Structures are given as C-alpha cells and as structure tokens.
Amino acid sequence: MAKHDPFIVVEGLVVRYGDRTVLDGVSFEVRQGEIFVILGGSGSGKTTLLRTLVGLKHPSAGRILFHGEDFTAMSEEERIELRKKMGMSFQGSALLKSLSLADNVALPLREHTDLEEPTIEIMTRIKLELVGLGGFGDYLPSELSGGMKKRAGMARAMAMDPEVIFYDEPSAGLDPIVAAGIDGLIRKMQSTFGLTSVVVTHEMESVKLIADTVCVLEKGRVPDGVF
C-alpha cells in the first residue's frame, strides 16, 4: 500500500446508547503513514469514536474498513487478529501497578506471541529506549512521573510493531514542555517507522505540532469543510 492510499475508511458511522445518538453519520479517511487528528471538546463523541475504531464498541450503522476489509462485519476471532496489528495508547496510560515497567511493555508479547523470553526481553528493551526510558525497566508505575507514564504507554503500544497506533489524549494533563515532548515522540515514531497514527485530542497546540490531517468532531458529527 502506497503512503497516501486510504488505510482506514469510515463510512456513515452511527453509534447509539439507548435512545441517545452519540455519533451521527461520521465519515472520513485516514491515509497510510499519516498522523490523523480527531479534534473535539468534551461531549463531542471523540472517545466513543475511538472506542468504535478499535472494536470496543459496535456501531449501530455504518462501517469501518481497514485495508479495504470491513472491520465491523468481521467475526470476533477475525477482529482479535486484526487488533494485533493495532497499538493503543490510553489517556491514563493504563499501566498495571503491580508490574514493572518492562513487564508492562512485554505483556502484549507474552499474551499474543510464542516468542521466547530472551527475544521478548530484547524487544522490550528496544521499545523502552525508543521512548527515552532505557534503564527504567525495573521501575514500578508509581515511581514514574506523569510524562514517563505516557511514554511507557507508548512503548507498550509499540510492543507488537503495529501498523497503526491510536492515541487517546496523549498530552492531556501534562505541562507544556512535557506535552511538547510527547508530541515530538509521536512525530518521531511516525517518521521513523512510517506508522499510521490516529490521535484524539482537544489540545490545539498538539494539533499544530503533529497533525497531517484534522477531523473536527462536533456533537457527534463532522461538519463540512473542516479537514
């Protein structure tokens, strides 16, 4: 697939919770190798959109295509296999408090691959060094700063060498200098590995630093002409 070909295609996506429509006919395309930013305020539906994109929420209507394959029509087994090609960096990092940083990053490899432990340890060390946390593998999450936890979450998202990474508010709650460092790291991973990145945020400074394409989400819809 060429760099500028559509990698993710969202067509007429509708998501409802009971009688409430949270996403109302959302459509857009994410190109291979770009950083696609979904910008919206509180209540805009961006978190629901992200959950739907990664398969945690099934849409009421519409479809999501990855590499031309209909993700929404797949069996659960097929979706699980496709998710192995995705990385997810959560807003709160979602690190397991009882595990060391290295064990948190290695967790997807231990759960979803048959790699031997020495190989997993090498891959884990590489990912930690990539995000500037080399030498911190034995630390517990409680011993890390907020910015370090964000970086650790990014390292774990990279563990399986995914084709696409989804970021949920990656710079939220950080001071401007640390936030800029996180934004720079997102751009570095995109340029170094050719990753496709989908970033949900409400931070305009982040948008200016990282976005190749911006999708504005407003009350569950994408207004015309805002990309």
Side-chain angles (χ1 to χ4, degrees):
M1 178 176 285
K3 181 177 177 62
H4 298 295
D5 288 344
F7 176 42
I8 303 171
V9 178
V10 177
E11 298 178 345
L13 202 65
V14 176
V15 174
R16 297 186 181 95
Y17 290 96
D19 295 331
R20 186 167 65 97
T21 299
V22 179
L23 298 178
D24 188 8
V26 172
S27 298
F28 56 82
E29 293 184 357
V30 180
R31 297 188 300 272
Q32 179 80 13
E34 76 169 337
I35 298 178
F36 185 93
V37 173
I38 300 169
L39 177 65
S42 178
S44 63
K46 61 184 187 297
T47 298
T48 295
L49 176 55
L50 186 64
R51 287 174 55 82
T52 308
L53 288 174
V54 299
L56 297 178
K57 175 68 178 175
H58 196 75
S60 305
R63 60 181 189 161
I64 303 166
L65 307 178
F66 285 91
H67 288 308
E69 297 183 46
D70 190 347
F71 184 51
T72 50
M74 291 179 179
S75 67
E76 184 58 26
E77 291 76 16
E78 290 171 326
R79 279 197 290 269
I80 289 171
E81 285 304 308
L82 184 54
R83 284 196 200 104
K84 293 178 183 179
K85 300 177 182 179
M86 305 176 186
M88 180 72 196
S89 181
F90 297 92
Q91 181 175 350
S93 300
L95 300 175
L96 297 179
K97 297 178 181 180
S98 61
L99 297 182
S100 69
L101 182 52
D103 285 336
N104 267 284
V105 175
L107 190 60
L109 295 168
R110 290 175 177 148
E111 286 190 345
H112 300 299
T113 75
D114 295 323
L115 294 172
E116 295 184 356
E117 191 60 27
T119 302
I120 291 176
E121 290 175 1
I122 291 171
M123 294 178 68
T124 298
R125 187 164 61 249
I126 290 172
K127 296 306 189 297
L128 287 173
E129 290 173 354
L130 175 67
V131 300
L133 292 176
F136 288 90
D138 292 333
Y139 281 56
L140 291 172
S142 60
E143 299 174 298
L144 304 177
S145 68
M148 292 170 75
K149 288 178 183 177
K150 294 277 189 179
R151 288 174 178 267
M154 294 169 73
R156 186 178 56 192
M158 283 288 294
M160 298 276 289
D161 294 323
E163 296 179 3
V164 56
I165 294 186
F166 295 90
Y167 297 91
D168 186 9
E169 299 281 6
S171 56
L174 302 177
D175 69 58
I177 294 176
V178 176
I182 295 296
D183 291 333
L185 186 55
I186 292 173
R187 177 59 74 180
K188 173 188 172 183
M189 291 201 292
Q190 183 253 1
S191 61
T192 301
F193 300 102
L195 281 171
T196 303
S197 302
V198 178
V199 182
V200 165
T201 187
H202 67 276
E203 303 282 353
M204 282 303 302
E205 288 305 313
S206 293
V207 175
K208 295 175 186 177
L209 288 171
I210 65 174
D212 294 315
T213 303
V214 180
C215 167
V216 177
L217 196 62
E218 183 178 330
K219 296 181 180 179
R221 296 183 179 182
V222 179
D224 292 337
V226 293
F227 286 80

